[in-house]
Amino acid sequence: MNHRTGFNALSRTSAHRRAMTRNMVTSLFRYERVTTTKSKALEVRRAAEKLVTRAKIDSVHNRRIAAKFIADEKILNKLFTEIGPRMKDRNGGYTRILKMGFRQGDAADVVILELVDYKLPEPEEADSKAKKSADKE
């Protein structure tokens, strides 16, 4: 029976699952967008949302709690100086899951997990064309 199972074990040991979650959350905050399977994304989202909630209030206590989960000092600083203040007026729901389809090899559901205020990078081709035309004139 599946009564009161609080999380998806993802067919991994607890140490492997914890390490994978920590790495994926760190990557999510570094790139603000990661591609993964649906089940992993649902588990990573739980941890990421809790950390963003902590990051909305920059205190020593909150930084130490987050530092237990995020080992990279630059990413920890980015979380508290950039991501947290951006989400200040939002009451939860800091991430979004976009479905991409099925993976070729094993037909797993592949999704994009991203922060809600993620902006696609602007193509540099348009900027370079504008600069070239301005240089010619």
Side-chain angles (χ1 to χ4, degrees):
M1 287 188 202
N2 197 21
H3 297 311
R4 301 280 297 179
T5 302
F7 59 92
N8 186 350
L10 299 171
S11 298
R12 288 164 170 79
T13 62
S14 59
H16 184 185
R17 189 172 55 250
R18 178 179 161 91
M20 182 204 64
T21 305
R22 289 175 64 169
N23 287 332
M24 289 187 71
V25 167
T26 302
S27 293
L28 175 65
F29 292 147
R30 176 177 286 133
Y31 303 113
E32 300 189 7
R33 183 179 210 184
V34 292
T35 304
T36 184
T37 61
K38 182 180 177 186
S39 56
K40 284 183 195 174
L42 292 173
E43 289 302 309
V44 169
R45 178 171 66 173
R46 293 174 60 174
E49 300 252 348
K50 290 176 184 177
L51 287 172
V52 173
T53 301
R54 286 272 181 195
K56 288 166 67 173
I57 301 171
D58 191 359
S59 67
V60 175
H61 178 67
N62 285 342
R63 278 185 181 261
R64 286 180 178 166
I65 296 287
K68 283 198 247 180
F69 207 80
I70 298 174
D72 191 348
E73 196 66 35
K74 290 180 181 178
I75 303 305
L76 184 67
N77 196 32
K78 178 180 179 181
L79 175 64
F80 279 89
T81 57
E82 296 176 25
I83 297 171
R86 281 193 331 222
M87 306 289 183
K88 199 74 156 177
D89 57 338
R90 187 176 280 277
N91 292 327
Y94 311 114
T95 59
R96 150 187 323 131
I97 294 179
L98 304 169
K99 296 181 182 179
M100 288 181 57
F102 300 103
R103 192 159 55 195
Q104 181 71 36
D106 60 356
D109 273 335
V110 178
V111 299
I112 295 174
L113 175 66
E114 66 181 14
L115 298 175
V116 291
D117 56 354
Y118 178 78
K119 300 280 191 274
L120 287 172
E122 294 293 324
E124 296 180 15
E125 295 173 7
D127 296 337
S128 62
K129 288 180 182 177
K131 286 181 183 179
K132 287 181 182 178
S133 64
D135 292 340
K136 289 179 182 178
E137 293 175 1

